[in-house]
Amino acid sequence: EGTVLLDFDPSAELIGGVLAYGINSENVQRNASPLKGKVGSEIGVRELNIVDDGLLRGGLGTRSFDDEGVPKQRTTIIEEGVLKNFLYNHYTARKEGIESTGNAYRGLSAFESPPRVSPSNMIIEPGTKGWEKLKGEVDRGIIAGRFSGNVEFSNGSFSGVVKQGFLVEEGEIRHPLIGTMISGNTYQLLKNISGMSREVKDVPTFGFVKTPMTRIENVRITGKP
């Protein structure tokens, strides 16, 4: 187990992608989300703040209304590590007697199927340190430029190969990595985040996620020296 510095894309996939499933009220209501019953609970470090912003200027998911005609809004998902809200469309909100968060989405199927719940623009708030500073504080760990493997969005477990990876020792990049794998569970790693970069990037691969790079401790790492 060791320190892994996730670049933008793996941060979007392993954090943004997994949470997009977990905060979906459809999954919560059918008992398919590990976050069911955890609103108000601490699920991450205090530095972790995530919002879904349907009004984000220039966001791929930005619109005036969702696909049920409900005005888009900015919804706090995680604040200082505490789970605050799930995302709802009109149907799932009515089942709980609350208001929709404006997250109804029909996708490419248009009106051939009922609207489902989907994030608009998920924003993982940045930290205060630059990427070089985050790297410079690592005694021994790896950088994961990309991640290629399996992610179980239903429970947060992941396992796969690090691409564009590097070994870091005493804050310096030593050499590239070949055949190195990482594995773990996102919901456990949210409590092991030790730093987030002030640099951010828009990653459209997993819906739309604006994310910093993320440094995480106690990740299982498998590889040869």
Side-chain angles (χ1 to χ4, degrees), residues 3 45 129 134 137 189 192-196 214-217:
T3 303
V45 296
K129 296 180 180 179
L134 289 181
E137 294 174 344
L189 297 185
N192 292 332
I193 294 174
S194 61
M196 309 179 82
T214 312
R215 188 178 66 199
I216 303 177
E217 309 299 328

Side-chain angles (χ1 to χ4, degrees), residues 188-207:
Q188 295 174 3
L189 297 185
L190 293 180
K191 294 184 177 181
N192 292 332
I193 294 174
S194 61
M196 309 179 82
S197 72
R198 59 170 174 255
E199 300 92 344
V200 297
K201 179 183 177 182
D202 299 336
V203 181
T205 309
F206 307 95

Side-chain angles (χ1 to χ4, degrees), residues 9 18 52 136:
D9 283 17
V18 169
D52 179 67

Side-chain angles (χ1 to χ4, degrees), residues 54 71 73 89 110 153 203:
Q73 66 180 47
N89 61 13
F153 294 104
V203 181

